[in-house]
Amino acid sequence: RLHNSYDDLLLLKNARELKIQYGEGSGTAVYNNFMYYNVYNSRDMGKLDLNTNKLAVRKTLPNAAYGNRFSYAGVGWQDMDFVVNESGLWVIYSTEDNTGNIMISKLNETTLDVLHTWNTRQYKPSISNAFIICGVLYATRPVNTRKEEIFYTYNTDTEQEGKISIIMDKMLETIQSINYNPSDRVLYVYNDGYLVKYNLIFQPMLH
Ligand SMILES: *[C@@H]1O[C@H](CO)[C@@H](O)[C@H](O)[C@H]1NC(C)=O
Ligand SMILES: *[C@@H]1O[C@H](CO)[C@@H](O)[C@H](O)[C@H]1NC(C)=O
C-alpha cells in the first residue's frame, strides 16, 4: 500500500494498493520507486517497478540461505533483509558456509549484482533485527519485554566488529523490523503492530 505522504499514511488515506505475487518474508525495502524483496521459495532477489507492478529484475543472491532457515529471532521468513540509503542498496542475509552468521552484500541497484560481501561472526537468528547507517551494521537484542539493546556493530569500511550498549524503550515485546531512513535520520521500527519512530542524534566517538 503506497501513500502519497507520511501524513496520508498516518490518516490511512490516499493509498494506492498493489498486489505482488511470490514474495517471501518482510525484509522488503522501497527505493527510487522500486521495491526489493526475496522471491518466494528461492535465493532470488526481485526488483519490482512500483509504477507498473512488474518485476524488472530477478537475480540469485549467491549461496544465500532461504525458506526461513536463518531468519531473525522475533520474526520468521526474513532470510533477506534489504537496506537502502542515499547512495545504495544492501542486503543482510546468511549462508550455510558462514554457519548462520550475518552476511552483508552491497548490490548494484540496477542489476542486483553483488558488488562486495562482508562476513560477520554474529549469529543472525539470535538477534532481533539489524540496520545499517553510514556503512555500519547495528544489531539489537531484547533486554526485557519493554527494552531493547543495540549491542553489536560491524563496520564495512574497517571490517571490524564492535560492542556497544544503547538501550531503547519499546511498546511491546517483539521487534519484527528496523530500518534507518537517512533523509530524516529516523529509525522506523515495527513492534508487534506499532510503527515506532526513533529520532537519532549522532555524536563523534571520544577515545
Ligand atoms: C551497475 O550496473 C550498471 C549496468 O550494468 C552499470 O552501468 C553500473 O556502472 C553498475 N554500477 C556499479 C556501481 O557497479
Ligand atoms: C550510504 O552507503 C555508502 C556505502 O555504499 C556509505 O559510504 C555512505 O556513508 C552511506 N550514507 C549514509 C548517509 O548512510
PDB file of all heavy atoms in Angstrom, residues 86-111:
ATOM      1  N   GLU A  86      21.005   6.785   0.740  1.00  0.00           N
ATOM      2  CA  GLU A  86      21.024   7.689  -0.418  1.00  0.00           C
ATOM      3  C   GLU A  86      21.911   7.150  -1.528  1.00  0.00           C
ATOM      4  O   GLU A  86      21.715   7.465  -2.681  1.00  0.00           O
ATOM      5  CB  GLU A  86      21.567   9.069  -0.071  1.00  0.00           C
ATOM      6  CG  GLU A  86      20.823   9.821   0.979  1.00  0.00           C
ATOM      7  CD  GLU A  86      21.593   9.914   2.262  1.00  0.00           C
ATOM      8  OE1 GLU A  86      22.300   8.943   2.587  1.00  0.00           O
ATOM      9  OE2 GLU A  86      21.480  10.948   2.924  1.00  0.00           O
ATOM     10  N   SER A  87      22.916   6.400  -1.163  1.00  0.00           N
ATOM     11  CA  SER A  87      23.879   6.018  -2.188  1.00  0.00           C
ATOM     12  C   SER A  87      23.872   4.536  -2.475  1.00  0.00           C
ATOM     13  O   SER A  87      24.772   4.038  -3.124  1.00  0.00           O
ATOM     14  CB  SER A  87      25.273   6.446  -1.769  1.00  0.00           C
ATOM     15  OG  SER A  87      25.632   5.706  -0.631  1.00  0.00           O
ATOM     16  N   GLY A  88      22.887   3.815  -2.000  1.00  0.00           N
ATOM     17  CA  GLY A  88      22.968   2.414  -2.375  1.00  0.00           C
ATOM     18  C   GLY A  88      22.023   1.454  -1.712  1.00  0.00           C
ATOM     19  O   GLY A  88      21.201   1.822  -0.887  1.00  0.00           O
ATOM     20  N   LEU A  89      22.188   0.240  -2.149  1.00  0.00           N
ATOM     21  CA  LEU A  89      21.310  -0.859  -1.761  1.00  0.00           C
ATOM     22  C   LEU A  89      22.157  -1.991  -1.200  1.00  0.00           C
ATOM     23  O   LEU A  89      23.192  -2.348  -1.782  1.00  0.00           O
ATOM     24  CB  LEU A  89      20.563  -1.327  -3.019  1.00  0.00           C
ATOM     25  CG  LEU A  89      19.695  -2.555  -2.903  1.00  0.00           C
ATOM     26  CD1 LEU A  89      18.485  -2.287  -2.021  1.00  0.00           C
ATOM     27  CD2 LEU A  89      19.228  -2.991  -4.293  1.00  0.00           C
ATOM     28  N   TRP A  90      21.724  -2.538  -0.089  1.00  0.00           N
ATOM     29  CA  TRP A  90      22.436  -3.606   0.579  1.00  0.00           C
ATOM     30  C   TRP A  90      21.444  -4.715   0.907  1.00  0.00           C
ATOM     31  O   TRP A  90      20.241  -4.472   0.978  1.00  0.00           O
ATOM     32  CB  TRP A  90      23.005  -3.143   1.929  1.00  0.00           C
ATOM     33  CG  TRP A  90      23.679  -1.829   1.973  1.00  0.00           C
ATOM     34  CD1 TRP A  90      23.112  -0.605   1.750  1.00  0.00           C
ATOM     35  CD2 TRP A  90      25.048  -1.580   2.273  1.00  0.00           C
ATOM     36  NE1 TRP A  90      24.059   0.376   1.918  1.00  0.00           N
ATOM     37  CE2 TRP A  90      25.249  -0.194   2.249  1.00  0.00           C
ATOM     38  CE3 TRP A  90      26.123  -2.418   2.613  1.00  0.00           C
ATOM     39  CZ2 TRP A  90      26.471   0.393   2.516  1.00  0.00           C
ATOM     40  CZ3 TRP A  90      27.338  -1.832   2.878  1.00  0.00           C
ATOM     41  CH2 TRP A  90      27.511  -0.448   2.824  1.00  0.00           C
ATOM     42  N   VAL A  91      21.966  -5.924   1.191  1.00  0.00           N
ATOM     43  CA  VAL A  91      21.095  -6.964   1.714  1.00  0.00           C
ATOM     44  C   VAL A  91      21.821  -7.659   2.863  1.00  0.00           C
ATOM     45  O   VAL A  91      23.019  -7.908   2.792  1.00  0.00           O
ATOM     46  CB  VAL A  91      20.633  -7.938   0.600  1.00  0.00           C
ATOM     47  CG1 VAL A  91      21.798  -8.630  -0.092  1.00  0.00           C
ATOM     48  CG2 VAL A  91      19.646  -8.958   1.134  1.00  0.00           C
ATOM     49  N   ILE A  92      21.063  -7.902   3.947  1.00  0.00           N
ATOM     50  CA  ILE A  92      21.559  -8.625   5.116  1.00  0.00           C
ATOM     51  C   ILE A  92      20.954 -10.020   5.045  1.00  0.00           C
ATOM     52  O   ILE A  92      19.736 -10.159   4.890  1.00  0.00           O
ATOM     53  CB  ILE A  92      21.108  -7.920   6.421  1.00  0.00           C
ATOM     54  CG1 ILE A  92      21.612  -6.481   6.452  1.00  0.00           C
ATOM     55  CG2 ILE A  92      21.595  -8.693   7.639  1.00  0.00           C
ATOM     56  CD1 ILE A  92      20.974  -5.646   7.573  1.00  0.00           C
ATOM     57  N   TYR A  93      21.787 -11.049   5.136  1.00  0.00           N
ATOM     58  CA  TYR A  93      21.291 -12.421   4.976  1.00  0.00           C
ATOM     59  C   TYR A  93      22.271 -13.367   5.649  1.00  0.00           C
ATOM     60  O   TYR A  93      23.098 -12.943   6.465  1.00  0.00           O
ATOM     61  CB  TYR A  93      21.115 -12.733   3.479  1.00  0.00           C
ATOM     62  CG  TYR A  93      22.397 -12.671   2.670  1.00  0.00           C
ATOM     63  CD1 TYR A  93      23.019 -13.829   2.210  1.00  0.00           C
ATOM     64  CD2 TYR A  93      22.996 -11.443   2.388  1.00  0.00           C
ATOM     65  CE1 TYR A  93      24.196 -13.772   1.476  1.00  0.00           C
ATOM     66  CE2 TYR A  93      24.179 -11.385   1.663  1.00  0.00           C
ATOM     67  CZ  TYR A  93      24.773 -12.550   1.207  1.00  0.00           C
ATOM     68  OH  TYR A  93      25.941 -12.479   0.500  1.00  0.00           O
ATOM     69  N   SER A  94      22.214 -14.638   5.287  1.00  0.00           N
ATOM     70  CA  SER A  94      23.120 -15.602   5.880  1.00  0.00           C
ATOM     71  C   SER A  94      23.327 -16.757   4.906  1.00  0.00           C
ATOM     72  O   SER A  94      22.562 -16.904   3.948  1.00  0.00           O
ATOM     73  CB  SER A  94      22.521 -16.091   7.196  1.00  0.00           C
ATOM     74  OG  SER A  94      23.500 -16.778   7.897  1.00  0.00           O
ATOM     75  N   THR A  95      24.368 -17.550   5.159  1.00  0.00           N
ATOM     76  CA  THR A  95      24.641 -18.707   4.296  1.00  0.00           C
ATOM     77  C   THR A  95      24.989 -19.912   5.173  1.00  0.00           C
ATOM     78  O   THR A  95      25.341 -19.754   6.344  1.00  0.00           O
ATOM     79  CB  THR A  95      25.844 -18.452   3.370  1.00  0.00           C
ATOM     80  OG1 THR A  95      27.011 -18.272   4.177  1.00  0.00           O
ATOM     81  CG2 THR A  95      25.650 -17.242   2.489  1.00  0.00           C
ATOM     82  N   GLU A  96      24.921 -21.098   4.584  1.00  0.00           N
ATOM     83  CA  GLU A  96      25.358 -22.307   5.294  1.00  0.00           C
ATOM     84  C   GLU A  96      26.863 -22.225   5.563  1.00  0.00           C
ATOM     85  O   GLU A  96      27.332 -22.588   6.639  1.00  0.00           O
ATOM     86  CB  GLU A  96      25.055 -23.562   4.472  1.00  0.00           C
ATOM     87  CG  GLU A  96      23.578 -23.818   4.233  1.00  0.00           C
ATOM     88  CD  GLU A  96      22.779 -24.159   5.484  1.00  0.00           C
ATOM     89  OE1 GLU A  96      23.378 -24.539   6.507  1.00  0.00           O
ATOM     90  OE2 GLU A  96      21.542 -24.002   5.438  1.00  0.00           O
ATOM     91  N   ASP A  97      27.626 -21.744   4.580  1.00  0.00           N
ATOM     92  CA  ASP A  97      29.086 -21.664   4.732  1.00  0.00           C
ATOM     93  C   ASP A  97      29.480 -20.787   5.910  1.00  0.00           C
ATOM     94  O   ASP A  97      30.472 -21.041   6.582  1.00  0.00           O
ATOM     95  CB  ASP A  97      29.733 -21.076   3.471  1.00  0.00           C
ATOM     96  CG  ASP A  97      29.788 -22.096   2.344  1.00  0.00           C
ATOM     97  OD1 ASP A  97      29.496 -23.285   2.611  1.00  0.00           O
ATOM     98  OD2 ASP A  97      30.101 -21.700   1.203  1.00  0.00           O
ATOM     99  N   ASN A  98      28.723 -19.725   6.140  1.00  0.00           N
ATOM    100  CA  ASN A  98      29.019 -18.821   7.253  1.00  0.00           C
ATOM    101  C   ASN A  98      28.216 -19.244   8.489  1.00  0.00           C
ATOM    102  O   ASN A  98      28.012 -18.443   9.397  1.00  0.00           O
ATOM    103  CB  ASN A  98      28.731 -17.371   6.866  1.00  0.00           C
ATOM    104  CG  ASN A  98      29.520 -16.369   7.702  1.00  0.00           C
ATOM    105  OD1 ASN A  98      30.573 -16.681   8.243  1.00  0.00           O
ATOM    106  ND2 ASN A  98      28.996 -15.162   7.833  1.00  0.00           N
ATOM    107  N   THR A  99      27.747 -20.479   8.512  1.00  0.00           N
ATOM    108  CA  THR A  99      27.055 -21.141   9.641  1.00  0.00           C
ATOM    109  C   THR A  99      25.972 -20.279  10.300  1.00  0.00           C
ATOM    110  O   THR A  99      25.843 -20.260  11.520  1.00  0.00           O
ATOM    111  CB  THR A  99      28.064 -21.606  10.729  1.00  0.00           C
ATOM    112  OG1 THR A  99      28.792 -20.457  11.202  1.00  0.00           O
ATOM    113  CG2 THR A  99      29.050 -22.613  10.175  1.00  0.00           C
ATOM    114  N   GLY A 100      25.218 -19.579   9.480  1.00  0.00           N
ATOM    115  CA  GLY A 100      24.095 -18.807  10.003  1.00  0.00           C
ATOM    116  C   GLY A 100      24.472 -17.432  10.517  1.00  0.00           C
ATOM    117  O   GLY A 100      23.620 -16.694  11.021  1.00  0.00           O
ATOM    118  N   ASN A 101      25.750 -17.079  10.409  1.00  0.00           N
ATOM    119  CA  ASN A 101      26.147 -15.731  10.828  1.00  0.00           C
ATOM    120  C   ASN A 101      25.749 -14.710   9.771  1.00  0.00           C
ATOM    121  O   ASN A 101      25.563 -15.041   8.599  1.00  0.00           O
ATOM    122  CB  ASN A 101      27.658 -15.669  11.074  1.00  0.00           C
ATOM    123  CG  ASN A 101      28.064 -16.480  12.291  1.00  0.00           C
ATOM    124  OD1 ASN A 101      27.254 -16.732  13.171  1.00  0.00           O
ATOM    125  ND2 ASN A 101      29.314 -16.903  12.331  1.00  0.00           N
ATOM    126  N   ILE A 102      25.654 -13.446  10.202  1.00  0.00           N
ATOM    127  CA  ILE A 102      25.207 -12.380   9.300  1.00  0.00           C
ATOM    128  C   ILE A 102      26.211 -12.148   8.176  1.00  0.00           C
ATOM    129  O   ILE A 102      27.418 -12.077   8.412  1.00  0.00           O
ATOM    130  CB  ILE A 102      25.032 -11.062  10.091  1.00  0.00           C
ATOM    131  CG1 ILE A 102      23.866 -11.183  11.082  1.00  0.00           C
ATOM    132  CG2 ILE A 102      24.802  -9.878   9.150  1.00  0.00           C
ATOM    133  CD1 ILE A 102      23.747  -9.973  12.000  1.00  0.00           C
ATOM    134  N   MET A 103      25.689 -12.049   6.968  1.00  0.00           N
ATOM    135  CA  MET A 103      26.454 -11.632   5.802  1.00  0.00           C
ATOM    136  C   MET A 103      25.840 -10.301   5.335  1.00  0.00           C
ATOM    137  O   MET A 103      24.628 -10.113   5.432  1.00  0.00           O
ATOM    138  CB  MET A 103      26.304 -12.618   4.653  1.00  0.00           C
ATOM    139  CG  MET A 103      26.525 -14.053   5.021  1.00  0.00           C
ATOM    140  SD  MET A 103      28.229 -14.522   4.823  1.00  0.00           S
ATOM    141  CE  MET A 103      28.398 -14.375   3.063  1.00  0.00           C
ATOM    142  N   ILE A 104      26.692  -9.440   4.804  1.00  0.00           N
ATOM    143  CA  ILE A 104      26.210  -8.170   4.250  1.00  0.00           C
ATOM    144  C   ILE A 104      26.719  -8.094   2.821  1.00  0.00           C
ATOM    145  O   ILE A 104      27.913  -8.301   2.594  1.00  0.00           O
ATOM    146  CB  ILE A 104      26.774  -6.963   5.031  1.00  0.00           C
ATOM    147  CG1 ILE A 104      26.489  -7.093   6.534  1.00  0.00           C
ATOM    148  CG2 ILE A 104      26.217  -5.648   4.485  1.00  0.00           C
ATOM    149  CD1 ILE A 104      27.356  -6.168   7.383  1.00  0.00           C
ATOM    150  N   SER A 105      25.854  -7.822   1.866  1.00  0.00           N
ATOM    151  CA  SER A 105      26.311  -7.599   0.499  1.00  0.00           C
ATOM    152  C   SER A 105      25.821  -6.261  -0.001  1.00  0.00           C
ATOM    153  O   SER A 105      24.662  -5.882   0.224  1.00  0.00           O
ATOM    154  CB  SER A 105      25.826  -8.695  -0.451  1.00  0.00           C
ATOM    155  OG  SER A 105      26.596  -9.859  -0.275  1.00  0.00           O
ATOM    156  N   LYS A 106      26.712  -5.546  -0.669  1.00  0.00           N
ATOM    157  CA  LYS A 106      26.355  -4.310  -1.358  1.00  0.00           C
ATOM    158  C   LYS A 106      25.952  -4.718  -2.766  1.00  0.00           C
ATOM    159  O   LYS A 106      26.655  -5.507  -3.411  1.00  0.00           O
ATOM    160  CB  LYS A 106      27.575  -3.385  -1.382  1.00  0.00           C
ATOM    161  CG  LYS A 106      27.307  -2.027  -1.954  1.00  0.00           C
ATOM    162  CD  LYS A 106      27.021  -1.051  -0.836  1.00  0.00           C
ATOM    163  CE  LYS A 106      26.322   0.207  -1.294  1.00  0.00           C
ATOM    164  NZ  LYS A 106      26.744   0.821  -2.515  1.00  0.00           N
ATOM    165  N   LEU A 107      24.831  -4.194  -3.249  1.00  0.00           N
ATOM    166  CA  LEU A 107      24.311  -4.605  -4.557  1.00  0.00           C
ATOM    167  C   LEU A 107      24.355  -3.459  -5.554  1.00  0.00           C
ATOM    168  O   LEU A 107      24.247  -2.288  -5.180  1.00  0.00           O
ATOM    169  CB  LEU A 107      22.847  -5.048  -4.413  1.00  0.00           C
ATOM    170  CG  LEU A 107      22.546  -6.150  -3.401  1.00  0.00           C
ATOM    171  CD1 LEU A 107      21.034  -6.340  -3.292  1.00  0.00           C
ATOM    172  CD2 LEU A 107      23.213  -7.451  -3.799  1.00  0.00           C
ATOM    173  N   ASN A 108      24.483  -3.819  -6.798  1.00  0.00           N
ATOM    174  CA  ASN A 108      24.241  -2.847  -7.863  1.00  0.00           C
ATOM    175  C   ASN A 108      22.720  -2.707  -7.982  1.00  0.00           C
ATOM    176  O   ASN A 108      22.034  -3.678  -8.298  1.00  0.00           O
ATOM    177  CB  ASN A 108      24.866  -3.352  -9.175  1.00  0.00           C
ATOM    178  CG  ASN A 108      24.651  -2.376 -10.312  1.00  0.00           C
ATOM    179  OD1 ASN A 108      23.567  -1.818 -10.472  1.00  0.00           O
ATOM    180  ND2 ASN A 108      25.673  -2.179 -11.121  1.00  0.00           N
ATOM    181  N   GLU A 109      22.210  -1.512  -7.717  1.00  0.00           N
ATOM    182  CA  GLU A 109      20.751  -1.364  -7.672  1.00  0.00           C
ATOM    183  C   GLU A 109      20.100  -1.544  -9.036  1.00  0.00           C
ATOM    184  O   GLU A 109      18.901  -1.802  -9.120  1.00  0.00           O
ATOM    185  CB  GLU A 109      20.385  -0.003  -7.086  1.00  0.00           C
ATOM    186  CG  GLU A 109      20.881   1.133  -7.947  1.00  0.00           C
ATOM    187  CD  GLU A 109      20.562   2.488  -7.338  1.00  0.00           C
ATOM    188  OE1 GLU A 109      21.394   2.971  -6.570  1.00  0.00           O
ATOM    189  OE2 GLU A 109      19.506   3.032  -7.647  1.00  0.00           O
ATOM    190  N   THR A 110      20.856  -1.404 -10.098  1.00  0.00           N
ATOM    191  CA  THR A 110      20.297  -1.588 -11.444  1.00  0.00           C
ATOM    192  C   THR A 110      20.158  -3.072 -11.782  1.00  0.00           C
ATOM    193  O   THR A 110      19.113  -3.520 -12.246  1.00  0.00           O
ATOM    194  CB  THR A 110      21.205  -0.923 -12.505  1.00  0.00           C
ATOM    195  OG1 THR A 110      21.545   0.379 -12.053  1.00  0.00           O
ATOM    196  CG2 THR A 110      20.513  -0.847 -13.846  1.00  0.00           C
ATOM    197  N   THR A 111      21.222  -3.820 -11.542  1.00  0.00           N
ATOM    198  CA  THR A 111      21.271  -5.212 -11.989  1.00  0.00           C
ATOM    199  C   THR A 111      21.096  -6.218 -10.862  1.00  0.00           C
ATOM    200  O   THR A 111      20.924  -7.409 -11.115  1.00  0.00           O
ATOM    201  CB  THR A 111      22.640  -5.484 -12.625  1.00  0.00           C
ATOM    202  OG1 THR A 111      23.648  -5.258 -11.614  1.00  0.00           O
ATOM    203  CG2 THR A 111      22.896  -4.571 -13.809  1.00  0.00           C
TER     204      THR A 111
END
